[in-house]
Amino acid sequence: MTVPKNVDLIILGAGPAGLTAGLYGARAGLKTVVLEPKSPGGQMLLTDDIYNYPGHPDGITGQHLANLFLEQAQKYNCEVLKRAGSTTLQQESDRFIVTAGDRVVQSEIAIVATGCSPKRLGARGEKKFSGAGISYCAVCDGNFFEGLDVAVVGGGDSALEEAAYLSRLCNHVYIIHRRDRFRASDACQCLIRGCNNVSVIWDSVVEKFEGDDLLENIRLASVNGSEKRDLKANGAFIYVGQIPNTSFLSDAVATDPDGWILTNERLETSVPGLFAAGDVRKKEVKQVATAVGDGSQAAITAEKYLMMKRCNAYPGEVA
Ligand SMILES: Cc1cc2nc3c(=O)[nH]c(=O)nc-3n(C[C@H](O)[C@H](O)[C@H](O)COP(=O)(O)OP(=O)(O)OC[C@H]3O[C@@H](n4cnc5c(N)ncnc54)[C@H](O)[C@@H]3O)c2cc1C
C-alpha cells in the first residue's frame, strides 16, 4: 500500500478557486497540494476570451489567465499535481485521505474546489453523437466545424458567448432556445446582435439528434408540441446548465438536492476541517471573480481552523 504523503492543506481542483486557495495556503506557510485530474484552469479553459475579470481591460484568453493563476501559485511553492487521476476523499479520525490515481495525500484540512460540468440535454441521440457532432465546448471543438452550419442549444450567457465565438468560424449558427426571450445578460445579447450569420429559433426544444456516423440533422419540436421541423446541422453545442462535481464525496458532506455543497459564509461545510470554494458550492453567481474570492476566503478560514486546532482551541471544540 502507498504510504500517504503528509501535507498541511489538500485542495481538490485546479480551477480559479483551487489555484487561488493554493496561492493563499502556500503564502501562509502551509505545505499545500492541489490535485487536478485534467489540466489546470478548470472552466476557464472552455472559453475563448474573458472580458469581465478585473485587471485585464482588453480581455484575456481563458488559457492565458489559467497559466497566470498556475504560475503565481507555483511561485510560492504550492504543489500542483496535474492529470492526477480520479479522486476519492475519505476521513479517518481527524485526517482527510485523498487518493488520486496512485498518489495518496493526507492532511487535517481540505478544500473542495471541484467546480461543475456541463449538463446533458437528455435528448435522443445525444450520447451517440457526443464527439461526433455534439460538443459542450466551442473553444475546444469549434475548429472542427469551420465553414459548416451548427446549432447552439441554450439561452444563457454561456450559450450566447459561445454562439458569438462560433459565428467567426462557422457558416451559420442557429440558437435553439425553449423560451421566447433570453435569460442572458444584455452584454451577452449584444454580442450576437452584431453577427449577421446567427439566427434564433425560439420556443423550441431538441427532440432528437440524427445522422449515420456523424450528426446531420436535429429534429426540433415547438414547446407546446404542435410543430416539428428538421434543422440540417453538422454540429450542436449544448449550454443548458451545469451539474456539480461532487459525486466522489461521502453523504457526510451536506449538499442541496442537486448536489451543490452547502457552506456558511466562512465556507465551512458540514464536516469540520472540510471547506468548499467556487462553483461547486450552492451560490448565486458563478464567475471567475467569485471563484477567486471563494478560494481566498476558504484558504484563510482553513488556515485559521488548523492553527486553532493545533492549539486545541478551535471555538467549535471549546466546552
Ligand atoms: C463556456 C463558459 C464561458 C465562461 N465565461 C466566463 C466569463 O467570461 N467570465 C467569468 O467570470 N466566468 C466565465 N465562466 C465561468 C467560470 O469559468 C467559472 O465560474 C469558474 O471557472 C469556476 O471556477 P472553479 O474553480 O470554482 O471551478 P472550475 O473552473 O469548474 O474548476 C474545477 C476544477 O476541478 C477539477 N475537478 C473536478 N472533479 C475533481 C475531483 N474529483 N478531484 C479533483 N479535481 C476535480 C476540474 O477538472 C476543474 O479543473 C464561463 C464558463 C463556461 C463554461
Side-chain angles (χ1 to χ4, degrees):
M1 196 188 132
T2 316
V3 179
K5 174 175 169 166
N6 281 307
V7 298
D8 295 317
L9 170 62
I10 298 174
I11 298 163
L12 298 166
L19 289 173
T20 305
L23 170 69
Y24 273 70
R27 278 178 55 84
L30 301 180
K31 189 172 182 192
T32 302
V33 168
V34 181
L35 293 146
E36 167 57 54
K38 300 181 185 162
S39 297
Q43 294 169 70
M44 291 191 292
L45 302 179
L46 305 183
T47 193
D48 187 23
D49 290 311
I50 295 179
Y51 291 104
N52 55 4
Y53 189 68
H56 301 278
D58 299 322
I60 181 166
T61 66
Q63 177 72 67
H64 189 185
L65 192 55
N67 292 346
L68 292 174
F69 277 33
L70 177 65
E71 186 186 327
Q72 197 169 357
Q74 288 178 324
K75 184 176 171 188
Y76 293 97
N77 296 325
C78 169
E79 188 179 359
V80 181
L81 299 178
K82 306 167 199 174
R83 291 176 278 281
S86 62
T87 315
T88 62
L89 173 75
Q90 289 168 288
Q91 198 175 7
E92 274 179 26
S93 64
D94 70 340
R95 314 225 122 217
F96 296 100
I97 300 178
V98 175
T99 309
D102 56 1
R103 288 144 159 153
V104 187
V105 190
Q106 64 175 1
S107 68
E108 291 168 79
I109 48 172
I111 298 174
V112 179
T114 49
C116 52
S117 301
K119 201 184 223 171
R120 304 292 183 253
L121 194 57
R124 274 187 289 159
E126 184 177 6
K127 208 168 167 191
K128 174 178 174 188
F129 294 108
S130 280
I134 294 179
S135 167
Y136 302 83
C137 175
V139 172
C140 317
D141 300 326
N143 272 336
F144 296 123
F145 301 91
E146 207 168 340
L148 301 176
D149 290 346
V150 299
V152 167
V153 185
D157 282 356
S158 293
L160 269 52
E161 278 172 12
E162 303 317 302
Y165 173 81
L166 289 165
S167 75
R168 301 197 290 272
L169 300 170
C170 302
N171 178 53
H172 199 94
V173 180
Y174 298 92
I175 301 176
I176 301 163
H177 188 39
R178 63 188 167 144
R179 301 186 209 278
D180 61 359
R181 70 188 67 173
F182 290 125
R183 62 185 160 75
S185 62
D186 285 346
C188 288
Q189 295 193 38
C190 196
L191 283 176
I192 60 154
R193 259 182 236 128
C195 307
N196 56 14
N197 63 343
V198 175
S199 46
V200 186
I201 302 174
W202 300 107
D203 295 315
S204 298
V205 292
V206 175
E207 212 172 67
K208 60 176 166 173
F209 295 101
E210 298 172 319
D212 286 332
D213 293 335
L214 297 175
L215 179 70
E216 289 162 26
N217 186 60
I218 305 174
R219 184 87 170 133
L220 299 176
S222 57
V223 274
N224 60 16
S226 63
E227 286 171 44
K228 312 263 178 191
R229 65 177 275 197
D230 288 318
L231 178 69
K232 297 286 169 218
N234 305 101
F237 290 83
I238 296 169
Y239 296 98
V240 292
Q242 291 139 332
I243 48 168
N245 296 324
T246 47
S247 58
F248 67 97
L249 290 176
S250 78
D251 293 345
V253 184
T255 64
D256 80 349
D258 295 320
W260 303 98
I261 299 177
L262 301 174
T263 62
N264 60 17
E265 64 181 20
R266 291 163 15 123
L267 305 193
E268 293 165 312
T269 70
S270 57
V271 175
L274 187 68
F275 304 81
D279 282 13
V280 74
R281 69 185 190 91
K282 187 172 172 60
K283 64 175 187 170
E284 203 177 309
V285 181
K286 295 189 164 85
Q287 288 280 285
V288 176
T290 58
V292 164
D294 274 12
S296 55
Q297 172 74 66
I300 289 169
T301 315
E303 190 260 343
K304 281 188 183 154
Y305 173 95
L306 185 65
M307 295 307 127
M308 298 296 261
K309 184 169 180 264
R310 285 180 178 170
C311 294
N312 204 15
Y314 189 65
E317 294 175 351
V318 173

